[in-house]
Amino acid sequence: MFPYPSGTLHLGHFRNYTISDVLARFKHMQGYDVLHAIGWDAFGLPAENAAIERGVDPAAWTRQNVASMKEQLKMMGGRWDWSRELMTCDPQFYKHTQRIFLLLYERGLAYQAESLVNYDPVDRTVLANEQVDTEGFSWRSGAKVERLRLKQWFLRITTFKEALLEDLDLLSKDSRWPERVLSMQRNWLGKSLGAKIRFPVIPTAKGEVAYPAIEAFTTRPDTVFGVQYLALSTTHPIVLEIAKSSSQLQTFLETASSLSQDTKAGFLLQEISATNPATFLEGARKQPPLPIYVAPYVLGDYGEGAVMGVPGHDNRDHAFWRANRGSEPISSVVAPPKASQSSVEPSKSSDNSHEAYVGDGELTSLCDSYAGVSSVLGGEMILSDLHKGGFAEHAESWRLRDWLISRQRYWGTPIPIIHCKNCGVVPVPVDQLPVELPKLEGEWFKGKGGNPLEGVQDWVNTPCPSCGAPARRDTDTMDTFVDSSWYYLRFTDPHNPDVPFSAEAADANLPVNIYIGGVEHAILHLLYARFISKFLATSSLWPSGSSPDYKGEPFQKLITQGMVHGITFSDPQTGRFLKPSEIDLSDPAKPMLKATGEVPTISYEKMSKSKYNGVDPATCISKYGADATRAHMLFQAPVSEVLEWDEHSIIGIQRWFGRVWRIVQEIKSAAEADFYDSTSSHSAKREDSPLSDGLFHPTNIGQIPPLTSFNDTEASLYTTLQSAIISITTSLSSTYALNTVVSDLIKLTNAISSTSIAAAGTLAAMADPAHTSLPIYYATTSALLRMMAPLTPAFAEECWELIHTSSSSKDGVIQLPSVHTQPFPTPLPASTISALATRDQPCAVQINGKLRFAISIPRPPPSKTSCSAFIQAEDDPALALANKPTQEDPLRDWVLGRVLESKEGKKWLTEKNDIRTAKRVVIVKGGRTVNIVF
């Protein structure tokens, strides 16, 4: 996901872009044509707020931040296609955002309507429902959101609701998207299957107006006998009609917008009541009239803006009833299975401890002829009978609402609409796009709020494109999520002046193969991007997008990286967050408060200025280098989990780099020594040197001597390499477990450094099984560096150059291409790896301290060596001596079995001695030595 240009990269940015860079480099080395671009989500409130606070031009402020962050991105060693760089605030970009809006408008998917909206009084703009938290606060400013009725622009995302829900199944295949994200989207779409039930309205003595029946959506028709009140939203037509003649109701509605979404406040409409339609069912007793309340907790745009209150079987309804009806009895119409109990809760005085029974069960006697029936079957029967009487019907309801995109701010894409008194709403002609923002000086913004575009008369006033009469531009700008809903599509054709992108470019590059970003974008950005992508897949812009393989989905694979938490110090007495300057870190393992010497409370929390736990990636890069910082970040935690940043443990990565550097230096020294004949002058070159025959040429990097010539050390090393290639390739291709990639690379490095290169002139090392020939040592190290290259690009390149830059041939010096142009290693066939792993090995058998015989046995399979508790006996003699025959040891049993199959083994362990009477059996060096004590 592209960044917002705040001016400074934080570690969350660093983690996100390191992951994408690693995967892009890996795919490039595998031979793929990789499109790895970057841009800037440059519109938005922070820039405009900076303009208001400081009197600066938001455009200048944004471009300055972009330049700064671009330099920081280059510092981290990332490789992007900068020729495709874009900024959403560039008129040449938002020209096409406006074109997409007009395409939506032409299809009836963009419309203007008066609606009750969420208004942020601090940022002085409208917010979409998704931008208001569950407590009713703005997601950005934190202000308490107000509800106002305004005329706004919407995108009809609900037209695509079924596709947005159903196609989540496509994204769930092969774990393409994390289940957590899929679940969040399903919940936000919020499809509910249930029934629409009609409650006739009865005017009371105070009421004279006849009202239509109130329709309420419910997923529990089985509880209709338990309805004790109706609750209407503050925007319900009946409420608005009664408010015209009720000053008390008007006052309540005015204050309702400031109440939280879970408020229990209610206003009783004394003018009307309702009849429970259960009264009209055959054999049912007459139900009492239902009071009708105005309740702010009822959403006007969910269902029908009405709720049937069942306090006995809904916790929210129960709380509302207690708050407004006190201790009045609550009807219970569903009892737990096989436990039909009393039908009415006894009277209680303001007892709020009782909770509603919300599960399935059996219908109680209050349900008359349906009593004793299971609530599931009873609900179907009741709904069927109500439907026959015209009081109910099957229905579905969705939580998703059309996307409100109007924002009353300056720094955003202008909505390309003109309002004419003669023609009404007129779209700006395509050839007049872009509708550019007027140029305003920074001082013009200072101290002002609201929408500055309304005051720019030269910009607002314009001729109508249709009739030429004086008209006015729409002064709203688009929600910045509109820009980010399609920017990735522009990367395919970033310089096209005529259309957002060509069909040819779209078909060649879309959908995005891998998309990486934080899980906090699971609803807002990703849902909007799916909607716009699906829409464009129905247009001529992306012809192949609607195919069954894609279904208009923009991102095939989604990786959600976890947040980065920083070490946080707080005062153990007061809980106050402490600044770094207040902590003595002379011993990082034992931090202390400078003032008191006390040990601070230490935790890892989301980085923020108020907690003084932020980390500047630039500081880490300048201190440790970009590659060490990258590798450390990848190694510390799985990609999807929270990363607790611990700078002090980066020394482990530095030590790893040191081992790799020593390995390549050994290769360079050994190669140079082997390049010259040690028996003659330094200038005499050996014709059989690996340097002479082009061993270090890129066409030969995968060439090795015949496997039959490998000694045991070489076979073991090369088997370890093959295992590493398989594991690392899997991690980079499917599991994305990048922390294990670093771990595998470190293990391979340790395996290489534990061997030594055979002396010059003994390239095959056949005479010295404890050493590795230079060609095999080089081939293994070459593979190591190529696998390191995506993660540590600069360090891998430096090591690669150290080995190759001085390489020569008979024709002169060979300058090899970059390591990043080399192919990523591929494993040998499984049969070949198995043959390497199962080669025979020598086995010397000692009895009571004396060597009795030596034979060849197969190399133990990994399943035996990995689970043996005594495989490390050679490293711990005490452990070896403790190994008794009665203890279970798979490696010992396997080796003894092979020894007893031999002629010598039968002679010494069954004829001259009885192995069953052995006091101790010790397996050393993976079965190469067996010590038996009788």
Side-chain angles (χ1 to χ4, degrees):
M1 298 180 186
F2 65 164
Y4 175 78
S6 60
T8 305
L9 281 179
H10 54 68
L11 280 179
H13 287 127
F14 193 98
R15 189 182 197 192
N16 182 298
Y17 302 124
T18 295
I19 295 168
S20 72
D21 188 59
V22 168
L23 298 181
R25 289 176 181 273
F26 165 67
K27 289 296 182 182
H28 176 76
M29 293 180 72
Q30 282 193 315
Y32 288 93
D33 183 12
V34 179
L35 196 167
H36 188 220
I38 198 165
W40 308 95
D41 191 9
F43 272 138
L45 286 172
E48 187 162 346
N49 287 340
I52 294 171
E53 294 169 9
R54 307 167 194 169
V56 296
D57 179 0
W61 187 84
T62 299
R63 293 183 183 280
Q64 177 182 332
N65 288 350
V66 165
S68 174
M69 292 180 70
K70 189 172 180 178
E71 289 303 312
Q72 294 174 62
L73 283 172
K74 290 180 178 180
M75 284 177 59
M76 64 173 279
R79 183 174 65 181
W80 291 274
D81 184 351
W82 290 105
S83 70
R84 297 176 184 265
E85 181 185 13
L86 57 82
M87 284 192 294
T88 58
C89 66
D90 185 339
Q92 294 309 307
F93 177 88
Y94 68 70
K95 164 186 179 179
H96 301 293
T97 305
Q98 293 170 339
R99 181 68 187 105
I100 292 173
F101 175 90
L102 293 179
L103 289 173
L104 289 160
Y105 183 80
E106 292 166 8
R107 291 266 294 272
L109 297 175
Y111 66 95
Q112 193 175 32
E114 190 174 88
S115 174
L116 191 66
V117 298
N118 305 303
Y119 185 76
D120 185 328
V122 172
D123 282 334
R124 299 179 69 176
T125 190
V126 168
L127 304 175
N129 289 336
E130 296 87 344
Q131 295 168 326
V132 181
D133 67 20
T134 56
E135 301 298 322
F137 293 93
S138 167
W139 74 298
R140 185 182 294 277
S141 73
K144 186 69 175 179
V145 171
E146 299 174 357
R147 301 280 283 172
L148 301 179
R149 183 166 289 277
L150 298 172
K151 201 168 187 180
Q152 303 288 290
W153 282 98
F154 295 84
L155 298 184
R156 213 179 296 273
I157 189 175
T158 53
T159 301
F160 289 79
K161 61 180 182 290
E162 289 287 359
L164 289 169
L165 179 62
E166 292 175 3
D167 294 344
L168 291 175
D169 293 338
L170 175 66
L171 300 178
S172 69
K173 290 181 179 179
D174 303 320
S175 300
R176 295 181 187 179
W177 280 37
E179 182 55 40
R180 178 184 178 189
V181 174
L182 297 174
S183 178
M184 293 171 73
Q185 292 225 350
R186 286 192 188 97
N187 292 337
W188 189 259
L189 292 167
K191 183 179 182 179
S192 301
L193 299 178
K196 186 188 297 182
I197 299 179
R198 298 178 182 88
F199 294 81
V201 177
I202 309 169
T204 63
K206 292 185 178 182
E208 299 177 355
V209 180
Y211 294 99
I214 294 173
E215 295 182 338
F217 175 82
T218 181
T219 59
R220 293 290 303 271
D222 56 314
T223 64
V224 70
F225 281 93
V227 177
Q228 293 185 263
Y229 71 93
L230 295 182
L232 306 181
S233 72
T234 57
T235 59
H236 194 281
I238 291 179
V239 174
L240 298 179
E241 183 63 31
I242 295 176
K244 294 177 180 178
S245 58
S246 173
S247 59
Q248 289 181 316
L249 178 55
Q250 289 177 2
T251 301
F252 178 80
L253 295 178
E254 291 171 359
T255 60
S257 63
S258 63
L259 300 175
S260 64
Q261 292 182 345
D262 61 351
T263 178
K264 309 302 184 296
F267 183 91
L268 179 63
L269 297 177
Q270 298 181 354
E271 293 83 358
I272 55 175
S273 62
T275 300
N276 189 329
T279 296
F280 305 108
L281 294 174
E282 185 176 352
R285 73 192 77 179
K286 185 176 182 180
Q287 301 289 316
L290 301 175
I292 301 175
Y293 285 89
V294 181
Y297 80 82
V298 180
L299 301 177
D301 53 1
Y302 180 79
E304 306 302 321
V307 167
M308 62 179 220
V310 187
H313 303 288
D314 184 278
N315 288 325
R316 184 180 57 182
D317 295 350
H318 183 279
F320 182 85
W321 181 265
R322 285 295 182 223
N324 291 275
R325 308 295 288 198
S327 60
E328 289 188 30
I330 292 177
S331 299
S332 178
V333 296
V334 179
K338 298 180 181 179
S340 183
Q341 309 198 359
S342 60
S343 61
V344 179
E345 177 195 10
S347 236
K348 299 179 182 178
S349 57
S350 302
D351 183 1
N352 289 312
S353 63
H354 177 76
E355 293 184 357
Y357 175 66
V358 298
D360 294 325
E362 296 178 358
L363 300 184
T364 69
S365 59
L366 276 184
C367 299
D368 298 326
S369 61
Y370 305 95
V373 179
S374 74
S375 58
V376 175
L377 177 59
E380 295 175 356
M381 295 169 61
I382 291 171
L383 178 56
S384 177
D385 292 342
L386 287 174
H387 178 68
K388 293 176 184 177
F391 292 104
E393 59 190 35
H394 286 282
E396 66 180 34
S397 184
W398 294 74
R399 182 185 179 190
L400 180 69
R401 293 293 171 266
D402 282 341
W403 178 10
L404 190 160
I405 65 164
S406 288
R407 296 294 180 269
Q408 292 69 48
R409 301 303 293 255
Y410 167 79
W411 195 235
T413 299
I415 293 178
I417 292 292
I418 292 173
H419 300 274
C420 175
K421 292 182 179 180
N422 300 328
C423 306
V425 175
V426 181
V428 173
V430 173
D431 61 6
Q432 293 183 21
L433 298 180
V435 176
E436 293 194 42
L437 289 168
K439 178 68 175 177
L440 300 176
E441 297 300 327
E443 286 298 320
W444 194 94
F445 290 92
K446 194 167 186 178
K448 297 180 181 179
N451 187 355
L453 291 177
E454 294 177 346
V456 188
Q457 297 303 317
D458 291 344
W459 182 84
V460 172
N461 297 315
T462 187
C464 172
S466 180
C467 69
R472 291 176 59 84
R473 295 190 187 279
D474 197 303
T475 57
D476 283 354
T477 54
M478 296 186 208
D479 180 5
T480 55
F481 280 109
V482 178
D483 305 309
S484 61
S485 70
W486 80 278
Y487 78 95
Y488 52 91
L489 302 170
R490 182 66 174 172
F491 282 142
T492 66
D493 197 6
H495 307 298
N496 193 320
D498 302 317
V499 291
F501 48 90
S502 69
E504 294 76 17
D507 287 342
N509 294 285
L510 296 176
V512 176
N513 296 103
I514 302 175
Y515 198 53
I516 305 166
V519 74
E520 64 271 17
H521 301 291
I523 294 175
L524 294 173
H525 166 57
L526 291 175
L527 186 64
Y528 295 150
R530 293 183 63 217
F531 160 53
I532 293 298
S533 176
K534 286 181 177 294
F535 163 69
L536 292 174
T538 66
S539 74
S540 60
L541 288 173
W542 185 17
S544 66
S546 58
S547 71
D549 292 336
Y550 302 151
K551 294 186 176 180
E553 290 294 339
F555 313 120
Q556 287 187 315
K557 175 67 181 181
L558 174 68
I559 299 175
T560 53
Q561 92 277 0
M563 300 184 72
V564 181
H565 287 187
I567 189 168
T568 308
F569 300 103
S570 57
D571 191 307
Q573 305 300 325
T574 65
R576 178 178 65 85
F577 292 115
L578 301 171
K579 299 177 181 179
S581 59
E582 298 179 85
I583 304 296
D584 180 0
L585 290 173
S586 53
D587 182 354
K590 297 179 181 179
M592 294 188 302
L593 272 72
K594 291 181 179 179
T596 64
E598 291 182 278
V599 177
T601 301
I602 301 174
S603 61
Y604 283 89
E605 301 187 32
K606 180 180 178 181
M607 293 184 179
S608 70
K609 293 180 180 179
S610 62
K611 296 176 182 177
Y612 309 108
N613 62 351
V615 176
D616 182 1
T619 302
C620 291
I621 290 173
S622 62
K623 189 174 182 180
Y624 304 106
D627 283 3
T629 306
R630 286 166 60 113
H632 178 58
M633 175 163 283
L634 295 172
F635 185 54
Q636 274 200 291
V639 165
S640 61
E641 296 182 10
V642 169
L643 188 158
E644 295 182 346
W645 180 255
D646 180 9
E647 182 178 318
H648 300 295
S649 61
I650 201 171
I651 189 173
I653 298 296
Q654 293 178 309
R655 289 170 177 165
W656 170 40
F657 283 8
R659 290 193 295 275
V660 174
W661 187 249
R662 287 192 293 273
I663 288 171
V664 298
Q665 286 182 316
E666 288 175 4
I667 290 177
K668 183 176 179 63
S669 298
E672 289 178 346
D674 206 69
F675 187 49
Y676 297 98
D677 190 343
S678 59
T679 62
S680 63
S681 65
H682 191 68
S683 60
K685 300 177 181 178
R686 284 170 37 89
E687 294 301 321
D688 62 343
S689 166
L691 302 183
S692 299
D693 63 15
L695 169 70
F696 292 173
H697 192 275
T699 59
N700 294 332
I701 58 174
Q703 293 185 8
I704 56 172
L707 297 182
T708 54
S709 68
F710 279 36
N711 63 33
D712 289 344
T713 300
E714 293 168 340
S716 176
L717 177 61
Y718 220 69
T719 301
T720 300
L721 169 63
Q722 302 310 308
S723 298
I725 292 173
I726 294 171
S727 176
I728 291 171
T729 302
T730 300
S731 295
L732 291 174
S733 301
S734 57
T735 63
Y736 304 105
L738 303 189
N739 58 318
T740 66
V741 172
V742 179
S743 177
D744 287 338
L745 289 170
I746 292 174
K747 290 176 183 177
L748 178 58
T749 302
N750 293 341
I752 298 173
S753 62
S754 67
T755 68
S756 56
I757 304 174
T762 57
L763 297 179
M766 292 297 292
D768 189 358
H771 290 74
T772 302
S773 67
L774 179 57
I776 296 172
Y777 198 91
Y778 164 78
T780 306
T781 303
S782 166
L784 169 67
L785 295 180
R786 285 179 282 141
M787 290 190 288
M788 289 179 65
L791 286 76
T792 59
F795 180 67
E797 183 79 313
E798 188 172 359
C799 292
W800 188 259
E801 289 181 359
L802 182 68
I803 297 175
H804 298 104
T805 50
S806 63
S807 299
S808 303
S809 70
K810 297 174 182 178
D811 299 323
V813 176
I814 300 174
Q815 294 293 337
L816 286 188
S818 163
V819 66
H820 301 288
T821 64
Q822 306 303 310
F824 198 84
T826 55
L828 295 172
S831 59
T832 304
I833 298 175
S834 178
L836 273 175
T838 57
R839 288 158 41 97
D840 286 350
Q841 67 178 28
C843 177
V845 180
Q846 297 180 359
I847 298 177
N848 294 330
K850 293 184 178 180
L851 176 65
R852 292 304 182 183
F853 62 92
I855 59 174
S856 291
I857 64 172
R859 188 186 302 273
S863 61
K864 303 300 180 183
T865 58
S866 62
C867 60
S868 173
F870 303 97
I871 191 171
Q872 299 299 328
E874 62 269 30
D875 298 326
D876 190 344
L879 180 64
L881 292 175
N883 188 9
K884 298 180 180 180
T886 57
Q887 295 175 316
E888 181 179 353
D889 182 356
L891 176 62
R892 179 200 64 205
D893 297 341
W894 190 92
V895 171
L896 281 179
R898 305 294 78 74
V899 170
L900 288 169
E901 292 172 354
S902 69
K903 177 180 177 180
E904 295 86 346
K906 292 176 181 177
K907 172 183 176 181
W908 286 98
L909 301 181
T910 61
E911 298 173 7
K912 292 192 173 185
N913 299 284
D914 187 352
I915 188 60
R916 293 173 296 181
T917 65
K919 297 179 181 178
R920 191 172 294 113
V921 178
V922 181
I923 306 299
V924 181
K925 296 183 178 179
R928 287 180 171 80
T929 303
V930 179
N931 292 314
I932 304 173
V933 179
F934 287 98

